Amino acid sequence: MSDGAAAHASELVAVAAERRWAWIVGAIIAVIVVMMVVTGLHWASMPPSRVETIDAKTLHLRGEFVESNLGTTLAPDGKVTARLVAQQYSFVPQCIVVPEGMPVTFRATATDVIHGFVVGTTNANTMVIPGFVATFTTTFPKSGEHLMPCHEYCGTGHEAMWARVQVLPRDEFLARARSGERLSCVAR
Ligand code: CUA
């Protein structure tokens, strides 16, 4: 084979390899674009699981978050639920009672703007968005008291927006919760 013919042959190999890779890269881009379109449409038409909406304008009038239903309840099946509302610039109730060593489900919503809260140094932490119910379940291993500040900037009173969380020994909590009332540690 002459030098010219060898150079020509290797050029053909290079061109074929480049074309092959162009097709592969093109296919990867096409797959990514299809994924973006499909997931975009899918998420737009069906929100992620556990997204629960609520009408922020009627919270105080009816439903789960009326004032008389806020606080902590013990269901007959032993489930503990703490319900609260966040608003500029306080939480209702201002003092939340939970048991030590039992799973507690928080259910929270906001009346006006985006708030959030974190309970002391625990992993209880969520945003609270008007129109949605924020839910998570956590267990407090030790009794004691925590501060619960709002951690989303919500206006000029943001830094003064906080509540307290009292973690009661399990027996004490159960004794208080048996009556079925909505518990809180707000002074009455
Ligand atoms: Cu509410 Cu910051």
Side-chain angles (χ1 to χ4, degrees):
M1 213 191 281
S2 72
D3 281 357
H8 184 65
S10 65
E11 190 190 329
L12 287 180
V13 169
V15 166
E18 276 181 15
R19 188 166 295 138
R20 193 162 60 239
W21 278 108
W23 278 109
I24 292 171
V25 170
I28 291 171
I29 292 171
V31 167
I32 291 171
V33 168
V34 167
M35 274 168 56
M36 282 162 58
V37 170
V38 169
T39 53
L41 291 175
H42 175 75
W43 285 75
S45 59
M46 197 181 73
S49 63
R50 292 184 48 169
V51 167
E52 204 182 322
T53 57
I54 191 164
D55 186 354
K57 292 193 292 293
T58 58
L59 285 181
H60 59 301
L61 298 176
R62 56 180 171 270
E64 182 181 349
F65 292 93
V66 293
E67 193 168 1
S68 59
N69 198 41
L70 299 178
T72 309
T73 58
L74 175 67
D77 62 0
K79 286 211 177 82
V80 179
T81 306
R83 290 189 180 82
L84 60 142
V85 165
Q87 62 198 11
Q88 289 170 319
Y89 295 100
S90 63
F91 293 99
V92 184
Q94 270 291 296
C95 184
I96 294 159
V97 174
V98 294
E100 169 191 4
M102 290 172 73
V104 179
T105 299
F106 280 78
R107 289 178 60 77
T109 191
T111 60
D112 39 31
V113 300
I114 295 178
H115 302 273
F117 64 82
V118 57
V119 179
T121 54
T122 70
N123 67 350
N125 185 339
T126 186
M127 285 172 79
V128 185
I129 303 170
F132 296 88
V133 180
T135 293
F136 63 89
T137 301
T138 189
T139 304
F140 296 93
K142 285 202 307 254
S143 58
E145 188 163 308
H146 300 286
L147 281 183
M148 189 186 101
C150 176
H151 65 30
E152 291 287 338
Y153 181 77
C154 51
T156 52
H158 163 70
E159 78 281 0
M161 179 169 173
W162 51 273
R164 285 180 298 135
V165 174
Q166 271 185 7
V167 185
L168 296 183
R170 192 187 173 109
D171 294 343
E172 193 181 331
F173 176 85
L174 291 174
R176 281 188 57 187
R178 284 244 163 69
S179 63
E181 64 168 312
R182 274 70 184 134
L183 295 183
S184 78
C185 40
V186 176
R188 287 175 221 232

